[in-house]
């Protein structure tokens, strides 16, 4: 067996195969075999003598923690999002940050389409009607009427990898796609994907469904606020599989309660897990899933492989597979 590198890597929780084996073969590791995130105190203590860390989006790697992690050279997050990491401080301290893009794109796009169909066709309401024993008539002409997707407009906010994958899927349902992105994509690509660029306000005011695929940062925090929600049609739906804080949840609640928009499908929340007393849970025009965009065996296996290889490449002096651009 090859000699281990003289580096210590912290693995903050139980990640799927093959991460542990790969890192254990090559490094000294401190591994926490737990399904739950590490308590902050344990994280702070354990990271101090480590050269690298593989973490999840539950581990808040803020300035305070990073200041105490003097040996740390690489943060490999087992996620595409990195809003839990203080990138400015990492850059200042020459700490490399890597993530796991691409490999979870299809899974997240699939879930988005699942949510789109669920709200368009009242799948969650139908499910709960049966479970609450309220399905009393076998078939009825006016029962649970939803909306076809064909010819409807899907507005995509954030046209990165996942936004594009959602657009491709939605096109095959016959939907028209408009998108807003900070930087407009090339005209030739727009034509190829059959998507039209619009301002954020146009996307919100003319779409039947709006799906958010932006990353969370100080510019995009509450990008969907009260004023933006007011632009949406009262018959339209909002879907979010990115980050909860892209939407002002209070404003969304008021819009949903007062029929400002017709409904929402949310996989992510400002506070996770959602508070069981959250007023959102009283609404019947929302479909909820518990932050499972990348939760497929295929995506999680590949995320595991890449987050380990990012660390290995780095300490072997090679380029990590997916460096976060500062
Ligand atoms: C999940 O939300 C991720 O960022 O990978």
């Amino acid at each position: 067996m090859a000699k281990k590198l003289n580096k210590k890597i912290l693995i903050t929780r139980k990640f799927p195969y093959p991460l542990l084996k790969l890192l254990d073969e090559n490094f000294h590791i401190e591994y926490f075999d737990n399904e739950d995130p590490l308590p902050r105190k344990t994280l702070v203590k354990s990271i101090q003598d480590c050269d690298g860390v593989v973490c999840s989006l539950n581990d808040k790697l803020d300035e305070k923690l990073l200041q105490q992690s003097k040996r740390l050279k690489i943060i490999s997050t087992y996620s595409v999002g990195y809003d839990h990491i203080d990138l400015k401080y990492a850059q200042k301290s020459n700490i490399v940050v890597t993530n796991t893009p691409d490999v979870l794109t299809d899974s997240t796009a699939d879930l988005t389409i699942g949510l789109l169909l669920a709200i368009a066709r009242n799948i969650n309401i139908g499910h709960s009607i049966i479970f609450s024993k309220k399905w009393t008539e076998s078939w009825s002409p006016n029962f649970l009427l939803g909306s076809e997707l064909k010819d409807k407009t899907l507005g995509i906010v954030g046209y990165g990898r996942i936004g594009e994958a959602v657009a491709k899927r939605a096109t095959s349902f016959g939907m028209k796609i408009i998108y807003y992105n900070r930087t407009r994509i090339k005209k030739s690509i727009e034509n190829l994907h059959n998507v039209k660029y619009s301002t954020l306000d146009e996307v919100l005011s003319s779409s039947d469904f709006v799906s958010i695929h932006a990353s969370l940062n100080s510019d995009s925090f509450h990008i969907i606020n009260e004023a933006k929600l007011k632009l949406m049609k009262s018959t339209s739906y909002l879907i979010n599989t990115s980050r909860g804080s892209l939407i002002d949840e209070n404003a969304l609640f008021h819009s949903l309660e007062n029929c400002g928009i017709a409904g929402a499908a949310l996989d992510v929340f400002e506070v996770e897990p959602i508070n069981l007393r959250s007023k959102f849970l009283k609404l019947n025009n929302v479909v909820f899933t518990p932050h499972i965009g990348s939760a497929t065996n295929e995506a999680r296996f590949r995320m595991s492989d890449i987050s380990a290889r990012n660390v290995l490449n780095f300490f072997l002096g090679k380029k990590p597979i997916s460096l976060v651009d500062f």
Side-chain angles (χ1 to χ4, degrees):
M1 201 166 119
K3 212 166 158 277
K4 291 188 185 214
L5 296 167
N6 189 22
K7 302 285 173 200
K8 186 170 174 194
I9 310 298
L10 169 66
I11 304 170
T12 62
R13 65 195 301 180
K14 193 173 187 163
F15 294 108
Y17 181 83
L19 183 148
L20 180 61
K21 182 165 181 287
L22 215 103
L23 292 180
D24 191 31
E25 277 169 5
N26 290 283
F27 299 100
H28 305 281
I29 57 168
E30 177 153 10
Y31 168 56
F32 287 88
D33 185 22
N34 37 275
E35 295 289 351
D36 296 326
L38 271 190
R40 171 85 179 174
K41 256 191 170 166
T42 320
L43 177 63
V44 171
K45 187 162 175 282
S46 310
I47 204 167
Q48 288 187 9
D49 64 340
C50 284
D51 303 282
V53 58
V54 180
C55 64
S56 71
L57 49 87
N58 317 85
D59 301 313
K60 202 157 176 45
L61 300 187
D62 52 22
E63 176 164 355
K64 204 161 165 221
L65 181 138
L66 294 178
Q67 268 173 352
Q68 298 173 59
S69 319
K70 300 277 185 245
R71 272 176 64 173
L72 200 64
K73 290 282 170 291
I74 179 167
I75 299 167
S76 167
T77 183
Y78 178 91
S79 60
V80 64
Y82 39 80
D83 45 288
H84 53 296
I85 302 168
D86 186 334
L87 286 190
K88 273 203 189 119
Y89 190 83
Q91 182 178 28
K92 208 167 74 186
S93 320
N94 288 323
I95 301 171
V96 161
V97 179
T98 64
N99 64 341
T100 61
D102 298 313
V103 294
L104 46 65
T105 297
D106 287 319
S107 292
T108 310
D110 289 350
L111 181 77
T112 306
I113 296 296
L115 291 173
L116 178 66
L117 284 165
I119 39 174
R121 297 302 305 275
N122 298 310
I123 292 176
N124 60 317
I125 301 177
H127 179 89
S128 30
I129 284 176
I130 292 184
F131 268 84
S132 55
K133 303 192 168 58
K134 289 191 181 133
W135 187 26
T136 49
E137 201 184 339
S138 73
W139 186 89
S140 161
N142 294 309
F143 181 51
L144 279 190
L145 302 189
S147 159
E148 278 188 353
L149 298 187
K150 188 163 181 293
D151 295 331
K152 298 294 184 314
T153 299
L154 171 64
I156 295 187
V157 177
Y159 201 81
R161 288 170 285 252
I162 299 173
E164 178 188 326
V166 169
K168 276 192 189 144
R169 285 159 172 74
T171 305
S172 68
F173 283 96
M175 298 187 86
K176 293 184 216 142
I177 317 291
I178 58 177
Y179 80 95
Y180 165 73
N181 199 47
R182 259 187 326 180
T183 333
R184 184 171 175 174
I185 60 172
K186 282 192 189 136
K187 260 229 143 313
S188 53
I189 312 258
E190 285 179 2
N191 293 340
L192 194 70
H193 293 179
N194 204 8
V195 298
K196 192 172 149 273
Y197 176 79
S198 300
T199 63
L200 177 59
D201 287 4
E202 278 165 6
V203 165
L204 295 171
S205 59
S206 50
S207 298
D208 301 298
F209 297 86
V210 173
S211 191
I212 317 284
H213 300 287
S215 50
L216 177 64
N217 52 47
S218 49
D219 293 334
S220 62
F221 178 80
H222 284 187
I223 189 172
I224 306 296
N225 55 23
E226 186 184 347
K228 297 293 180 204
L229 285 163
K230 282 197 172 136
L231 297 174
M232 291 179 68
K233 298 195 267 189
S234 59
T235 50
S236 67
Y237 295 89
L238 183 62
I239 302 151
N240 189 8
T241 53
S242 296
R243 282 292 181 272
S245 297
L246 293 165
I247 301 177
D248 176 344
E249 269 180 11
N250 263 327
L252 177 60
F253 176 80
H254 288 297
S255 179
L256 288 163
E257 200 187 26
N258 300 309
C259 305
I261 64 172
L266 305 172
D267 182 52
V268 286
F269 304 88
E270 291 213 60
V271 176
E272 295 178 3
I274 192 167
N275 187 320
L276 290 180
R277 285 196 299 254
S278 164
K279 50 195 179 186
F280 267 89
L281 300 180
K282 296 193 185 100
L283 297 172
N284 66 359
N285 52 352
V286 188
V287 180
F288 300 103
T289 47
H291 202 149
I292 53 169
S294 68
T296 61
N297 288 311
E298 294 86 348
R300 293 286 164 89
F301 180 92
R302 295 185 295 246
M303 288 163 73
S304 167
D305 187 52
I306 288 190
S307 43
R309 285 188 193 284
N310 276 332
V311 176
L312 188 57
N313 279 11
F314 176 76
F315 284 116
L316 289 177
K318 298 187 206 159
K319 194 169 184 275
I321 301 163
S322 41
L323 268 179
V324 169
D325 253 346
F326 289 126

